[in-house]
Amino acid sequence: LLMRALYPAGSHAVEKREVRRASASVTLTRMGHPLFALFDLRLRVADLELRLPDDHELAALCRVARKGIHDPATMPFLVPWTDKPSPAFEREFAQYHWGARAHWTPAKWTLELAVFVDGEPVGSQGICAENFATLRQVITGSWLGQKFQGRGLGKQMREAVLHLAFEGLGAEVAHSAFIDGNVTSAAVSRAFGYEPNGRKRIAPRGEATWENKLILTRERWAARPRAYHVEVEGLDTCRELFGAAR
């Protein structure tokens, strides 16, 4: 109710309006979201829109995850969060997303964007960084609900978030990783020109396996033809939050 009172529906982007006083004209600029400018950030690519979800959308996104992301016999995540039973699954899902916003600083941030197709949440695309102002590097990760897989959405999501990183924020390096057996994630990264960057022994479910680390430099990103056009909205009002002020 508080958010509805402070943030009327539809008032997302920065609004400029002209106010006439006597013979003078003054242009006023108002930030779209009254509390957290990251809610104004939008990435649009092909069939998708990526943005922070409100709590109703977060609940819908949680239901997508609860219905299944992967074969239960495998674990594609370093942290086996999809193994959690209800209601811990739902509670910790919300806490993770709320916590990413609550603990945000320009020195250390995690942006967890919900991915929408025609207004329906289908998955999540994350990007995080520490000391971005100096290191200019990011880490990305994502998931899609099983019913939405196999449609090329994973590549669109990656295109959008890498565009934000390299073109929007001025990143020099992007990191990713996949666990042995996650051929879909490996194929998406390969399509973007990532290079191998070492392996790490891990045990998400208590059994040893390998995490394969990948790296994509700005030079390799720039040399690759763009498969999709990406639109970014609302970045200027929150750029300083990423440690990427111009």
Side-chain angles (χ1 to χ4, degrees):
L1 291 176
L2 172 63
M3 290 309 300
R4 289 182 180 177
L6 292 176
Y7 189 21
S11 58
H12 299 301
V14 172
E15 177 186 336
K16 289 186 178 181
R17 58 192 179 91
E18 188 175 73
V19 178
R20 296 188 177 275
R21 295 177 180 173
S23 59
S25 294
V26 179
T27 299
L28 303 179
T29 301
R30 182 174 63 84
M31 190 172 72
H33 196 281
L35 301 177
F36 201 46
L38 287 167
F39 277 106
D40 294 323
L41 182 63
R42 302 282 191 278
L43 310 181
R44 298 187 182 92
V45 54
D47 304 321
L48 308 180
E49 180 176 79
L50 289 73
R51 55 181 169 81
L52 285 182
D54 63 26
D55 281 358
H56 293 291
E57 293 166 335
L58 187 60
L61 183 64
C62 183
R63 288 192 291 271
V64 172
R66 178 79 282 187
K67 289 179 181 178
I69 298 172
H70 58 86
D71 183 343
T74 66
M75 176 46 65
F77 302 119
L78 183 61
V79 176
W81 60 275
T82 50
D83 285 348
K84 292 279 185 176
S86 295
F89 180 95
E90 291 79 5
R91 180 179 64 250
E92 294 180 18
F93 185 93
Q95 288 176 315
Y96 171 73
H97 283 265
W98 292 336
R101 303 169 195 172
H103 296 109
W104 186 293
T105 70
K108 184 177 181 180
W109 48 262
T110 298
L111 180 66
E112 287 291 346
L113 299 169
V115 181
F116 296 87
V117 175
D118 296 327
E120 177 184 8
V122 300
S124 180
Q125 175 66 63
I127 176 173
C128 65
E130 291 189 35
N131 193 16
F132 181 81
T134 300
L135 300 178
R136 295 285 164 171
Q137 64 179 357
V138 300
I139 302 171
T140 66
S142 64
W143 60 265
L144 270 172
Q146 281 184 307
K147 67 177 287 189
F148 306 106
Q149 296 173 13
R151 294 161 48 180
L153 302 184
K155 287 184 178 179
Q156 294 177 30
M157 293 159 57
R158 189 80 66 94
E159 184 89 53
V161 78
L162 289 176
H163 180 93
L164 173 65
F166 287 116
E167 307 299 335
L169 301 176
E172 295 294 333
V173 176
H175 298 274
S176 188
F178 67 92
I179 293 176
D180 272 2
N182 191 348
V183 295
T184 301
S185 178
V188 171
S189 296
R190 187 165 52 248
F192 282 88
Y194 284 80
E195 297 178 291
N197 193 35
R199 305 181 83 200
K200 181 181 179 181
R201 200 70 166 153
I202 59 171
R205 282 178 168 169
E207 296 181 2
T209 186
W210 288 99
E211 180 187 38
N212 302 276
K213 297 180 177 295
L214 303 168
I215 187 170
L216 178 66
T217 62
R218 168 177 283 278
E219 291 74 20
R220 288 182 67 85
W221 162 261
R224 173 185 164 274
R226 298 290 169 265
Y228 303 98
H229 173 70
V230 179
E231 296 179 358
V232 179
E233 176 185 315
L235 179 58
D236 286 343
T237 60
C238 60
R239 186 182 299 278
E240 64 174 333
L241 296 174
F242 293 96
R246 287 176 174 171

